[in-house]
Amino acid sequence: MKKKYLGSGRKNQKLKTRDKILNSTQALLEKKKDITLEEVANHAKISRATIYRYYSNIDILAAEAILDLSTKSSEEIIEEVKDLNLKEAIMHIQKYYNDLAIDHEPGFRKYLSVTLNADQNNKMRGARRKKTILMLLQQREKNMHPDEIEKLANLATVLMGIEPFIVTKDVCHLNNEESKKVLSWGLEQFLEKIIGNR
């Protein structure tokens, strides 16, 4: 089996493990306010070593788990775009995540602040956006090389969510609507060159 396919399988497994950790955290937080990484690991039926590879800090995990409650699953979003062409589907995904960032901006900024101030060497943060784009491309683009799918997913991910909003708002001094328009325009221009209207 080629390395790139093995790498893709590992990434998918990491995303599944991350989802299992978030779901377990949400379930525990419904029962009590203060939880530990060890309790989450036990609930998720994973080792302590595994959970520490993903989250070294319970505050980061709790913040992400709470934001995750407001977020549709990748599967739900893919279902919403099933009748759209690929370009329209990716644009819809961007709109969803950009609206989510605006609607929950204080929570996302707080979460980002906590994660950036923690020791997060090789930790996955977020990953919902990329997972959704990857799922869409892997379903629809059977002839696209896996490296191209990865690059397309990475670049599309850069143009959605809280991080580009921080740049457009804090650095470029745009308001929410102006930010959305610029990010939408950027993604549309990029997609037009790469995939056209398919």
Side-chain angles (χ1 to χ4, degrees):
M1 192 174 276
K2 293 184 179 176
K3 285 184 181 177
K4 63 185 166 222
Y5 296 110
L6 282 172
S8 176
R10 285 189 192 113
K11 285 177 189 164
N12 287 337
Q13 184 57 46
K14 283 184 178 181
L15 291 172
K16 286 179 185 175
T17 302
R18 182 189 156 279
D19 287 345
K20 187 190 289 190
I21 291 169
L22 288 174
N23 292 337
S24 292
T25 304
Q26 290 161 356
L28 290 170
L29 285 172
E30 285 179 10
K31 296 175 186 172
K32 61 183 190 168
K33 183 180 173 185
D34 294 319
I35 60 173
T36 66
L37 287 173
E38 290 76 13
E39 288 174 314
V40 175
N42 288 337
H43 190 275
K45 295 181 175 47
I46 60 174
S47 71
R48 289 176 65 194
T50 298
I51 198 163
Y52 278 99
R53 278 198 300 272
Y54 288 80
Y55 298 94
S56 61
N57 181 312
I58 191 63
D59 294 331
I60 293 170
L61 175 53
E64 185 170 344
I66 290 166
L67 285 173
D68 191 64
L69 287 171
S70 304
T71 307
K72 292 178 184 175
S73 70
S74 297
E75 292 78 12
E76 290 173 301
I77 298 168
I78 295 297
E79 179 63 24
E80 287 178 3
V81 301
K82 68 180 178 186
D83 296 326
L84 302 176
N85 70 34
L86 183 60
K87 181 180 170 187
E88 292 169 338
I90 295 172
M91 297 300 296
H92 178 90
I93 292 167
Q94 181 200 44
K95 181 181 182 323
Y96 170 74
Y97 284 113
N98 286 351
D99 287 344
L100 186 71
I102 290 171
D103 292 344
H104 302 281
E105 185 175 345
F108 278 113
R109 282 182 180 261
K110 173 78 172 151
Y111 168 69
L112 195 56
S113 171
V114 171
T115 59
L116 290 175
N117 288 321
D119 178 20
Q120 286 289 293
N121 296 331
N122 299 318
K123 301 289 191 276
M124 289 184 70
R125 182 179 60 74
R128 297 171 198 87
R129 295 165 283 178
K130 183 174 178 184
K131 176 183 175 185
T132 307
I133 297 290
L134 277 174
M135 282 178 63
L136 178 73
L137 293 172
Q138 288 166 351
Q139 285 177 6
R140 297 205 188 174
E141 290 298 304
K142 303 297 183 196
N143 296 323
M144 190 179 277
H145 192 275
D147 289 343
E148 292 177 313
I149 287 176
E150 184 76 17
K151 287 176 185 171
L152 179 54
N154 286 336
L155 193 50
T157 301
V158 168
L159 294 171
M160 58 184 80
I162 191 62
E163 298 88 350
F165 268 93
I166 289 173
V167 174
T168 57
K169 292 177 75 171
D170 297 4
V171 178
C172 301
H173 307 290
L174 303 180
N175 64 33
N176 286 338
E177 283 308 308
E178 291 167 335
S179 295
K180 284 171 64 174
K181 285 179 184 174
V182 164
L183 295 171
S184 176
W185 176 83
L187 183 59
E188 191 168 14
Q189 297 304 307
F190 164 68
L191 292 175
E192 187 65 37
K193 300 237 185 302
I194 302 297
I195 62 173
N197 287 317
R198 64 178 195 267

